[in-house]
Amino acid sequence: MKMLIMPSELRRRLSSQNAMAINAKGQEVLYGLTLSESRFMVDCCGRSANDMSEEERDRYADLVLKHEHARMRSASANSGIAKDEQCLG
């Protein structure tokens, strides 16, 4: 498995949030993101918004949304909510 390079404190935080996954190529990524996108996000986590260009801030914001949407889809798919139409009343 190819792990993302990041500070141990960030790894602990992301692990506790179940924010990471392993893609089909055996690479550690952030949920819903490619390896390249995940590396960019990890890099941005160590920088302030003032240290990023406008394009980097925009890309970071887009990737945060993409990541959070993927996490929410995963959480709702694993929630155990019955999808049986007879139970809907």
Side-chain angles (χ1 to χ4, degrees), residues 14-88:
L14 293 173
S15 293
S16 72
Q17 296 170 350
N18 295 319
M20 296 185 291
I22 305 300
N23 68 14
K25 295 178 182 177
Q27 301 163 323
E28 185 177 53
V29 293
L30 298 176
Y31 264 107
L33 303 183
T34 66
L35 181 60
S36 173
E37 292 169 336
S38 296
R39 286 179 176 158
F40 178 81
M41 287 276 296
V42 167
D43 180 52
C44 288
C45 286
R47 300 163 57 193
S48 75
N50 293 334
D51 293 335
M52 290 187 255
S53 68
E54 184 176 345
E55 293 80 19
E56 288 172 320
R57 287 192 302 272
D58 288 344
R59 181 176 183 212
Y60 180 76
D62 290 342
L63 292 176
V64 166
L65 288 174
K66 182 178 176 182
H67 169 66
E68 289 302 321
H69 283 134
R71 287 184 62 215
M72 293 301 111
R73 280 192 307 273
S74 175
S76 64
N78 294 326
S79 68
I81 296 172
K83 303 220 189 269
D84 184 354
E85 289 182 15
Q86 293 176 347
C87 295
L88 297 177

